[in-house]
Amino acid sequence: MITVLAGGTGSVKIIRGLASRSSKDLTIVSNVGDNIWLHGLYICPDVDTVLYGLAGILSERGWGIKNDSFCFLDQMEKLQQDVWFKLGDRDIATHLLRTALINQGKNLTEITEWMAEKYSVSEKIYPATDSRLETVIVTDQGPMHIQEFWVKHQGNPTVRDIFYKGAESSTANPNLLNSLKNSELIVIAPANPISSINPILKVNEIGELLTKLRKKVVAISPLIGEQAISGPAVKYMKAMNVTNSPLGVAAYYSDIVGNFIIDSSDSILSSKIASLDMNVFQTDIIMKDPRDEQRLASYVKSLPF
Ligand code: FO1
């Protein structure tokens, strides 16, 4: 059994690669720090990216449903509503049903299980917590929800700090913790360490449990050289004084990760990463198409530990 800790766009590629071989033994723990209430709907972007990715309906953009239309949004604009967050018409069906189930008293884990079944996804997807946990970006223009920072303000404000509102009182589903304990391998996807993975680690018991399971945890670097493979990782890392390099990511994860995969082009860093008490592996970590996804997934599964 394999469990993957995941964010959104960057993570879904390795998840698809792993799923293409062993769907029933794959569990995904999804970040919830990006979740947001808009227009009375509860939107869980990272959960949905994984769901749509595994259902084969993810848009090429890396979020939302492929070939979606935006008539709802056009109408909202005519009614002078905020339309900075592009909700597609088909995508809205997911948010609408999720919100209805929340209003019926179901928790996010139950709802996600129900959704996975409706989308014919056989992999288990756990939201990192059913508690409210929100990533807040503190900027020169004040604190704002991560979606406001990244989508509404296009990542432009200067970042001063990042925190996870609600993390102190968050709890993890016992089945999620069991899945981590029972996994032969725990994979940290090549995701943003600050905004995708850390909100998962901040959930009470998850980070602590992973320190005990460190030897079977492998992280795939989300950076090659000083650049993120995608997204705003470097901006967030600099704001949190984490060096923007695979070594910086490895040091950031060193309490919970015993194995680290870097791109072959970063081989010069391997002895420094190894000195963090990690096994270091090198391969081509860029995933441009399904063949790359399967190749990296096979590599991860064949690691000798
Ligand atoms: N990202 C954008 O850059 N612009 C959008 O308008 C946008 C809308 C959106 C709607 C639904 C959804 O599930 C995701 C959406 N995203 C959008 C992606 C999202 O902001 C982030 O990429 C994730 O939160 C990071 O994992």
Side-chain angles (χ1 to χ4, degrees), residues 120-134:
S120 304
V121 167
S122 53
E123 294 77 10
K124 186 96 197 128
I125 306 172
Y126 287 112
T129 179
D130 290 326
S131 319
R132 269 299 276 283
L133 187 158
E134 208 168 272

Side-chain angles (χ1 to χ4, degrees), residues 8-9 34 43 45-46 63 84-87 91 147 150-151:
T9 312
D34 290 28
I43 299 146
D46 287 356
W63 49 266
W84 54 269
F85 203 68
K86 306 287 178 233
L87 294 175
D91 190 25
Q147 300 293 359
W150 182 242
V151 181

Side-chain angles (χ1 to χ4, degrees), residues 88-294:
D89 299 331
R90 292 170 196 274
D91 190 25
I92 287 172
T94 302
H95 313 315
L96 209 135
L97 288 169
R98 175 185 293 123
T99 308
L101 291 167
I102 286 176
N103 291 337
Q104 286 170 26
K106 299 263 188 287
N107 66 39
L108 203 53
T109 300
E110 292 164 335
I111 297 169
T112 306
E113 192 174 358
W114 182 88
M115 275 307 169
E117 196 197 317
K118 293 292 169 204
Y119 279 108
S120 304
V121 167
S122 53
E123 294 77 10
K124 186 96 197 128
I125 306 172
Y126 287 112
T129 179
D130 290 326
S131 319
R132 269 299 276 283
L133 187 158
E134 208 168 272
T135 302
V136 178
I137 313 289
V138 182
T139 74
D140 54 348
Q141 297 172 25
M144 53 183 86
H145 188 285
I146 186 167
Q147 300 293 359
E148 278 190 302
F149 170 76
W150 182 242
V151 181
K152 186 175 183 181
H153 297 281
Q154 308 203 313
N156 286 325
T158 303
V159 182
R160 301 218 192 284
D161 195 11
I162 297 172
F163 67 94
Y164 312 98
K165 195 168 137 193
E168 316 74 46
S169 52
S170 64
T171 53
N173 187 300
N175 293 336
L176 181 166
L177 297 173
N178 281 336
S179 168
L180 291 172
K181 286 178 201 156
N182 297 335
S183 288
E184 289 139 58
L185 187 64
I186 298 168
V187 180
I188 299 190
N192 191 318
I194 313 284
S195 67
S196 295
I197 302 301
N198 209 27
I200 302 176
L201 304 179
K202 289 289 175 188
V203 173
N204 279 314
E205 294 190 80
I206 296 186
E208 201 184 304
L209 175 61
L210 287 173
T211 59
K212 296 182 192 134
L213 305 176
R214 184 181 183 278
K215 282 196 183 333
K216 61 177 186 178
V217 181
V218 60
I220 304 168
S221 177
L223 268 66
I224 298 182
E226 294 183 345
Q227 300 302 320
I229 296 170
S230 67
V234 167
K235 190 158 189 161
Y236 296 158
M237 289 173 77
K238 283 184 175 167
M240 300 310 283
N241 294 319
V242 179
T243 309
N244 56 308
S245 77
L247 176 59
V249 178
Y252 187 68
Y253 285 153
S254 57
D255 286 347
I256 55 142
V257 167
N259 308 276
F260 200 78
I261 304 177
I262 55 173
D263 192 73
S264 307
S265 62
D266 284 323
S267 59
I268 194 163
L269 297 174
S270 61
S271 58
K272 280 195 176 152
I273 297 175
S275 70
L276 297 167
D277 187 26
M278 284 182 187
N279 299 313
V280 187
F281 304 94
Q282 304 169 29
T283 188
D284 177 5
I285 61 172
I286 292 189
M287 292 172 279
K288 291 183 293 295
D289 54 36
R291 266 185 49 201
D292 289 341
E293 293 173 2
Q294 285 169 29

